Amino acid sequence: MASRVMHLAITDCVSKIYKCRDKNRFRLGSVLPDAAVAGNSHWKISIFGGTKKTYDLTGFRLDFLDKILADDLYLGYYLHLVQDLLFREFVYSRYQWNPRLEGNPKRLHGDYGLLNPYIIEKYGVFDDIAVPPSLDAEPICKVCSFAVYKFLADMKTDFTNILAGAAYFFTKKMADEFIELTISKCAQEIYALFHDLESIDEIALAWG
């Protein structure tokens, strides 16, 4: 999955294209799936007899389309799933990263830490998300449980920990490429949602 700083960078850029109604709710929604402590927060499903997996974007739309169209928290949440789906395609298919090699997932997350200062500065990302007092009453919280305050406190370390070293795999160039690609795809998806057009095909982007 994309890092939380990447999610925020993409969301902040998308918010300049889509004039969101509540930027704080949009940004909170964009990282909320990663704050889950219980439940299928990414709507991950198995398909084709269990031979492949994907994120059930269609299912999320069926559950929450009215909310997606009316509340930026849910639009941000939905776009998080879109971004993670695109990230898997980008890293696994385009750049042939192998997660099965021992230590590779840890090395990839190490690259995230190295990239955070670069992404934060280039895209002007801030860690100023506020939690609405009524968050626990949201319908999404009946599906998943979230440790939001703990998650946001932990995310602050992304903005304070300055790491040094060479990237193992995920470079600055790749980060920029992914972010720019995904901004465009998210903008297209928002247009499709609000104009009742065909949405992104999660089946075509399934992985084995």
Side-chain angles (χ1 to χ4, degrees):
M1 298 185 289
S3 75
R4 48 202 178 192
V5 169
M6 280 190 271
H7 281 299
L8 286 177
I10 293 164
T11 299
D12 286 349
C13 291
V14 170
S15 72
K16 297 173 184 176
I17 302 169
Y18 159 70
K19 302 303 181 183
C20 55
R21 294 146 296 196
D22 189 322
K23 188 173 180 179
N24 183 72
R25 288 180 71 83
F26 192 43
R27 298 179 86 234
L28 176 59
S30 77
V31 295
L32 192 57
D34 290 343
V37 292
N40 184 15
S41 65
H42 284 75
W43 265 251
K44 189 180 289 185
I45 56 171
S46 296
I47 57 175
F48 301 137
T51 60
K52 288 194 172 185
K53 298 177 182 178
T54 193
Y55 299 118
D56 189 9
L57 303 181
T58 301
F60 190 88
R61 291 194 303 272
L62 288 171
D63 291 340
F64 293 112
L65 182 60
D66 289 346
K67 284 287 189 180
I68 292 171
L69 298 179
D71 186 338
D72 287 332
L73 178 79
Y74 291 83
L75 179 60
Y77 196 112
Y78 175 74
L79 292 180
H80 177 110
L81 306 183
V82 171
Q83 291 163 27
D84 277 353
L85 185 64
L86 294 172
F87 186 78
R88 294 193 67 98
E89 172 72 11
F90 182 84
V91 173
Y92 287 71
S93 298
R94 185 175 300 197
Y95 281 96
Q96 299 293 305
W97 180 67
N98 186 353
R100 295 182 176 87
L101 289 178
E102 186 176 354
N104 263 13
K106 184 177 180 179
R107 294 186 189 103
L108 181 62
H109 283 88
D111 285 349
Y112 291 168
L114 293 171
L115 282 167
N116 283 338
Y118 171 76
I119 294 172
I120 289 166
E121 180 178 1
K122 177 166 183 177
Y123 296 94
V125 185
F126 292 94
D127 64 335
D128 56 350
I129 296 175
V131 181
S134 59
L135 182 64
D136 289 344
E138 290 290 345
I140 194 73
C141 293
K142 296 179 181 178
V143 181
C144 305
S145 297
F146 304 95
V148 181
Y149 290 101
K150 182 180 183 298
F151 174 81
L152 293 179
D154 186 55
M155 190 169 69
K156 286 186 179 295
T157 63
D158 294 344
F159 292 79
T160 57
N161 289 354
I162 307 300
L163 304 179
Y168 154 72
F169 169 76
F170 204 81
T171 63
K172 292 178 181 178
K173 181 180 178 181
M174 289 171 65
D176 286 334
E177 184 183 356
F178 171 71
I179 289 170
E180 296 302 325
L181 167 72
T182 307
I183 291 167
S184 175
K185 293 290 187 181
C186 284
Q188 291 172 23
E189 188 67 8
I190 290 173
Y191 187 86
L193 287 168
F194 281 87
H195 292 83
D196 197 25
L197 301 175
E198 186 174 352
S199 293
I200 191 170
D201 183 1
E202 70 266 38
I203 304 300
L205 296 177
W207 65 91

